[in-house]
Structures are given as C-alpha cells and as structure tokens.
Amino acid sequence: MDAQTEIMPRRRVFAFIAMAVGMFMAILDIQIVSSSLNEIQAGLAAGASEISWVQTSYLIAEVVMIPLSGFLGRALSTRYLFAIAAGGFTITSALCATATSIDQMMIYRALQGFIGGAMIPSVFAAAFTIFPPQRRGSISAVVGLIATMAPTIGPTVGGYLTNLFSWHWLFLINVVPGIAVTAAAYLLIDFDKPDFKLLRKFDYVGLITLAAFLGGLEYVLEEGPQNDWFGDETVRNLAVVSAVGCVLFFWRAFTAEEPVVDLKTFTDRNFATGSLFSFIVGVGLYGLVYLYPVFLARVRGYDSLQIGETMFVTGMFQMMTAPFAGQLAQRFDARWIVGFGMGLFGISCLELVPITKDWAFAELFIPQAMRGVALMLAMVPISMLALGTLPPALIKNASGLFNLTRNLGGAVGLALITTMLNDRTDLHIVRLHEAVTWGREAAVEHLQTMTQALTPSLGSDSELAAIKLMTQTAHRESLVMAFSDVFLALAVIFLAMVLLVPFIRKPVPRAAPAGGGH
C-alpha cells in the first residue's frame, strides 16, 4: 500500500476531483432549475400543470439509476460507467437548452437524470475504496460538502444565470465542464476492472420492477400534494403501479441469480442505521431548500435573485465547516458528531418557530448559519459510519442504496411538508376568520381605521378595499403560522433522531485494500 500511495496519489486525486465535479453538476441540476421554472414555462409556452414535469421527469429517472449504478459499476467498471454518465449528461444538457416544447424538455430531462444519476453514487464509492483510512475523514468532508452544498446554492446560481443571460444557460453551463469531466474520467480512472460477464446475467425484470416501484413512488410524492393525493386518478393509478412494482422488486431482489440491486447490505447494522439517518438528512436538506424560497417569495415578495442571496448564508457556513467536519469525525467518536449535528439542525428549526411576516435576512441569518454547520457535522460522519466499515466488494452497491435513501428522504419530506403547509394554512385561515367577525369590536375598529386611511385615495371604494386588504392580511398571517408549525415538526423529528445515536455500533475501520479497491 505504501509503494502504491507514493506512486499513484496525483493521478487518483485528479481523477477524484473530476468525479466530484461531475457529481456536483448532477446534484446542482435539480435545484438550479427550480428557481427559474416560470421563465422556462414562458419560453416553452407550457401550461401551469405541465411545467412541474421539468423537475419530475429528471427526479423519476435519477431515482431509478442511483440504486442501479452499483450493478453497472461492477459490470462496466468505474471508468467506463462514469465516462458514459458524464458524456451522456453533457449531451442531454445541451439538448435541454435546444428544447422548443415541453414534450421535448421532458424527454431530454428524463435522459439527463437517468444517465447523470450514475455519477453520484460512483463518487461515494470511490471515496471509500481508493483512499487510505487516515484520509477518509477529509475526503468524506469533500463529498458531504458537494452532496449538501449543491442543493443549497442551486437557487442562487439559477437566479443569477437566468437574470444575467436566459434560462437556456441553466443547461449550457454544464457543457464545457462536462466535456472536461468525461475526458478526465476516461483517461485517469483506473480504480477497478470491468466484469462484462455480469451483463449476461442482467435482470431485466428486476429493472422494470425497480422502475415501476421507484418511478411510481417519486411521481406520487412529487404530484400528490398539488393534486389532492388519491383524489387524482393519475396519482391513484401510479400509487398502485408503485405498490405492485415494490412487491415484485423485492421478490426479484431475493430470488434472481444476480439482482440489479443487492439488498443484503442492509443486514449490516451500521449501514442500515446510517441509511435511516441519511433519509432524515434528506428530509431536512431538501425540505428547507424548498421552504425558505416559498416563504421569501410568498410572504416577503422576493425575486429569485434576492432569495438566492439570502439562502447563500447556509452554503457559506457549510464551506467554513467542511475542513473541520472530517477531522472531527476521524478524531472523535463519529456517532457523537452525528448526534451533535442532528441536534443542532433541530435547534436551527426551533429558532424558526417564532417566525413572523417581517423576518428577512437578519432574522434568518442565525438559523441558516446553524443549519450550514449542522448539515456538515451530520452528513460527513453518517457516510463514514454507513460506508466506511463495509468490505470493498459491497461498497459500490451500498453507495447506490445510501444515496437513494437521501433522495427518497427529500421526496417524502417535500410531499409531507407541502401537504402540512397547505393543511395548516387552511386550518389557520378558518381560525382567523372565526376570530375576525363583525361582532368583534377590535376587528370592526381595525376595519374602520383602514377604511379611513384609504378614503382620500379611493373614495367610496375604500371600505371594499379595506375588507380585501384585511382578507389578504389574514391569509398571509395564516401562511406564516403554518410555516411555524412545519419548522416545529422538523425540529421534533431531528431532535428525536438524536435518541437513535446509541443504536449505532462504534465503527472499527477496515484496512484499505492493497490494490486500491475494486
């Protein structure tokens, strides 16, 4: 190992940097588009109900590829799989920029998500197979920073690109780095050898059932909150498809000679517990990346650029924490670093519970800073606990499953958060309407004061305008109260996860494989 470490480090480091850039592009591409959907909708002349498919088609395709990447990595090798994934992602990014209709965009985005999805778990697998144990803390910090940073700064980058150029540059920005990553992956990666014989045993039934299970589930979680869940026929039908696919997928996973996804890794307690923590991190990571822009846009009236500038605080503190997170997890018991990170995330959500309509950058600064630190302190040791003690032969498959749990956590979290936000807003509106009745003296006095203030400019229409203004105020206040409820629920979930930390076994790092991992 020492000889190889002396001879090979530079090539390995450059190869890993190229892979990390590819992973950053793939994760960033989800959120970079989210802040500019209105501009894309106008550019493609798409309907309001259609534009969400720019995101949904990408997410459905990506969530199928992520667990599949373990099998493909063993069959094709990291070199060929990553080069194909990076090259395909680059080509489909360019195609997305040329789309002239929503149908074309959906097809290109699905291809982009499916092909690019292989890059994410490949980087996690490489981090735990090609580096010696003493460097895994710092490498995990780099990977954890990319995995959590890309969704956080996505709205900022998207807002700047759309404002400065046009929505086409959300995709064109991938082309030049994509070509560089593809070339570097093909020329530099030599971590393992392909096993093409595995392709003869490829379980096509397993792939179809996996696609039905995860694709259907992702659609239900994405579209359910906006379409009254099972009141919508398509959501109902795809829920059935997902349920049937789930049963058949698990049957194939345990009976096929070479399953597309090997679930036996979950028998390792640390991997199973680490995956649960990864799921919850996904809930918080993607949940708050969604909640902040909604609050700033609907309550504060911010545009995408202002939202991005406000949210950049979290990314800044993630970057500041990254160098220390890996060292802390390496030097101290990683379990307690996870516990501290999850607890701090919970406290950052508690800090948001007293939120009002007037909260802006200054009031949101401390909770966002705490969240940035917490994400790094949770994510880095979680990946080390889940993947760092597995034998090399299981790493590729485990990496796909580990990343899948974070993505599913994000999908489940967004669905529940959106539903809770809608339901609690409706509940608070009803309560405020009950409180603001004609019989209440305070309500009548407030209405009269508003009417008098509006009379000089509106004359006889002042009372109607005052009633409309009062109704808007009630709706805004009910929305703010709903945000407070959601933040409290997230705080409870994360603080409860701290109680599960003792169930993680203290990790005993495995020795690095002599050949650098296969």
Side-chain angles (χ1 to χ4, degrees), residues 152-168:
T152 306
I153 68 165
T156 311
V157 177
Y160 272 109
L161 285 173
T162 306
N163 278 13
L164 291 174
F165 306 109
S166 70
W167 65 263
H168 303 85

Side-chain angles (χ1 to χ4, degrees), residues 46-348:
S49 60
E50 297 173 315
I51 196 61
S52 64
W53 275 99
V54 174
Q55 291 289 73
T56 305
S57 57
Y58 185 97
L59 291 168
I60 288 175
E62 184 189 55
V63 86
V64 174
M65 171 53 86
I66 285 175
L68 184 63
S69 64
F71 177 90
L72 293 177
R74 287 184 292 130
L76 301 176
S77 79
T78 305
R79 177 193 181 191
Y80 291 123
L81 176 63
F82 205 91
I84 291 167
F89 183 83
T90 305
I91 293 166
T92 50
S93 293
L95 288 172
C96 287
T98 67
T100 54
S101 69
I102 189 65
D103 293 334
Q104 285 181 5
M105 179 65 86
M106 281 164 52
I107 293 167
Y108 297 153
R109 282 286 279 172
L111 289 169
Q112 189 189 27
F114 185 74
I115 297 170
M119 290 193 281
I120 302 166
S122 297
V123 175
F124 274 82
F128 288 95
T129 52
I130 68 172
F131 292 101
Q134 62 269 26
R135 293 182 63 185
R136 281 197 199 122
S138 53
I139 296 302
S140 296
V142 172
V143 176
L145 178 64
I146 293 167
T148 55
M149 180 89 164
T152 306
I153 68 165
T156 311
V157 177
Y160 272 109
L161 285 173
T162 306
N163 278 13
L164 291 174
F165 306 109
S166 70
W167 65 263
H168 303 85
W169 281 91
L170 300 172
F171 306 107
L172 291 174
I173 196 175
N174 294 326
V175 174
V176 172
I179 292 169
V181 167
T182 305
Y186 186 78
L187 296 171
L188 296 177
I189 295 175
D190 62 349
F191 313 146
D192 49 16
K193 303 290 183 192
D195 183 3
F196 295 121
K197 291 177 184 175
L198 280 175
L199 294 174
R200 294 178 200 158
K201 303 175 184 176
F202 188 77
D203 182 17
Y204 291 98
V205 175
L207 174 61
I208 293 166
T209 57
L210 174 69
F213 166 36
L214 293 179
L217 178 63
E218 186 74 35
Y219 179 87
V220 170
L221 294 172
E222 279 286 311
E223 301 296 320
Q226 286 84 24
N227 295 303
D228 191 29
W229 287 101
F230 299 120
D232 180 81
E233 187 180 357
T234 309
V235 171
R236 198 165 56 241
N237 290 343
L238 280 168
V240 173
V241 168
S242 179
V244 173
C246 176
V247 173
L248 294 175
F249 166 70
F250 277 98
W251 167 66
R252 289 298 294 183
F254 292 110
T255 57
E257 181 187 354
E258 192 66 54
V260 289
V261 181
D262 186 357
L263 299 175
K264 295 185 182 70
T265 323
F266 282 112
T267 57
D268 182 286
R269 191 168 91 190
N270 268 20
F271 178 76
T273 315
S275 295
L276 174 62
F277 275 86
S278 175
F279 182 91
I280 299 299
V281 165
V283 172
L285 172 63
Y286 290 103
L288 288 176
V289 167
Y290 166 78
L291 282 169
Y292 271 94
V294 172
F295 172 79
L296 293 170
R298 289 172 62 180
V299 178
R300 299 291 302 166
Y302 282 17
D303 62 25
S304 57
L305 202 57
Q306 290 172 303
I307 291 169
E309 288 167 351
T310 305
M311 290 185 68
F312 192 71
V313 172
T314 298
M316 185 173 66
F317 274 86
Q318 283 176 252
M319 285 189 284
M320 289 163 58
T321 310
F324 308 106
Q327 295 302 317
L328 287 170
Q330 197 94 5
R331 195 167 295 178
F332 300 102
D333 190 333
R335 296 174 300 173
W336 307 124
I337 306 298
V338 170
F340 182 78
M342 299 298 270
L344 187 63
F345 197 105
I347 294 167
S348 77

